[in-house]
Amino acid sequence: MYRVIVPAEGVAEDRATAPTLEEFQRQLRAFAGTDFGIHSPRWLSRFGDATRQAERYRVGRVFLAGDAAHIHPPTGGQGLNLGVQDAVNLGWKLAAAVNGWAPDGLLDTYHAERHPVAADVLDNTRAQMALLSPEPGPRAVRKLLSELMEFEEVNRYLIGKVTAIGVRYDFGEGHDLLGRRLRDIGLKRGRLYGLMHGGRGILLDQTGGLSVGGWTDRVDHVVDTSEELEPPAVLLRPDGHVAWVGQDQRDLVGHLRTWFGSADD
């Protein structure tokens, strides 16, 4: 089986209506010089290159996520991941507000964190669409980019963009892990992600000397070690992003208040 994409003859009145095989063959001959004898298509569809983003993800009690917040061409298959991460980012914050422990401003961090991520995805899908052009200029850039991707650092950077592994929320200056989603590292008791199914915060403590007293209804204290984790301890939000790195208890308490509200008496 092969997948082939060609520019349409024109803008369709209804993009939900699939192109005909004959239309597809005409465009294939126009751009490739042959239709390669194609027949018996499994699937024909249209897509556009509309790229839009809402200015605000929150207005009062109304929040936008997924395709309601942003649309873009399907290049790179990034739309599902982008929308799901919107939902995961917003979900635990809404739960915190419903359950009465959300600190001031927590719901506003949804727009602050996710809007720039979507803007970056829109930019890279625009770039990918430009590279699909059969014109000489984009073809030359595509050739150059393909050569640059032979360098491991460039390849890793672009993979991080498309897969969203490279997303880092702005939590200020600090350790390189701060603001990033911690990967599924191995612990003595198993894998990290197996401990996150409850949708709670996690203090992963390799020292055994820290405490989440006052926040035990919202944060799990996991005393364990990992050969894959260099810092002595990390505080993870329910979405897996690192909210604090260190080993000072007083500093930890300040970040617990920032992300998980006031301590229980």
Side-chain angles (χ1 to χ4, degrees):
M1 293 183 63
Y2 297 89
R3 182 184 69 174
V4 180
I5 300 173
V6 296
E9 290 181 304
V11 178
E13 291 185 9
D14 181 6
R15 289 181 184 163
T17 301
T20 65
L21 178 59
E22 291 72 23
E23 179 185 349
F24 185 79
Q25 287 173 315
R26 283 197 304 272
Q27 292 303 96
L28 199 52
R29 288 193 292 266
F31 286 93
T34 176
D35 65 9
F36 302 102
I38 59 171
H39 61 87
S40 306
R42 301 285 185 90
W43 179 53
L44 291 169
S45 68
R46 305 177 190 271
F47 68 88
D49 61 355
T51 307
R52 303 284 187 273
Q53 183 178 23
E55 291 184 0
R56 291 180 289 172
Y57 283 11
R58 179 191 184 185
V59 178
R61 293 168 60 88
V62 177
F63 293 83
L64 301 180
D67 289 352
H70 40 71
I71 58 171
H72 56 84
T75 47
Q78 301 170 80
L80 176 60
N81 191 18
L82 182 62
V84 168
Q85 289 199 38
D86 285 348
V88 173
N89 184 289
L90 178 59
W92 74 272
K93 296 170 183 176
L94 286 175
V98 169
N99 288 307
W101 56 260
D104 291 341
L106 181 66
L107 290 176
D108 290 328
T109 66
Y110 168 62
H111 171 91
E113 292 171 4
R114 295 304 299 170
H115 197 274
V117 172
D120 188 63
V121 170
L122 266 59
D123 281 345
N124 81 57
T125 55
R126 283 190 179 105
Q128 290 184 64
M129 288 300 295
L131 291 173
L132 292 175
S133 169
E135 296 298 319
R139 287 171 60 189
V141 176
R142 186 165 65 243
K143 181 177 181 294
L144 175 60
L145 185 60
S146 297
E147 293 172 358
L148 290 174
M149 288 177 66
E150 295 297 323
F151 293 94
E152 176 64 24
E153 186 175 352
V154 175
N155 196 32
R156 184 174 294 276
Y157 176 77
L158 293 175
I159 288 173
K161 271 189 171 294
V162 173
T163 62
I165 292 173
V167 169
R168 184 182 188 184
Y169 298 144
D170 185 6
F171 294 167
E173 298 295 325
H175 194 279
D176 186 59
L177 284 177
L178 190 64
R180 297 188 184 278
R181 189 172 68 250
L182 189 61
R183 61 189 177 86
D184 188 20
I185 60 175
L187 305 171
K188 287 187 175 180
R189 68 173 68 182
R191 307 295 301 183
L192 173 64
Y193 285 5
L195 304 176
M196 300 180 66
H197 294 172
R200 295 159 54 86
I202 290 180
L203 173 64
L204 179 52
D205 179 8
Q206 298 195 99
T207 72
L210 298 171
S211 170
V212 294
W215 288 272
T216 55
D217 61 328
R218 289 154 265 174
V219 181
D220 294 327
H221 185 191
V222 177
V223 178
D224 205 337
T225 58
S226 172
E227 296 180 356
E228 304 172 58
L229 184 65
E230 174 268 328
V234 294
L235 176 65
L236 304 181
R237 306 189 317 183
D239 59 5
H241 283 262
V242 178
W244 172 82
V245 179
Q247 57 184 338
D248 181 81
Q249 179 65 37
R250 286 187 296 180
D251 191 33
L252 169 62
V253 167
H255 286 80
L256 285 167
R257 290 197 184 103
T258 295
W259 294 109
F260 298 99
S262 301
D264 286 340
D265 296 332

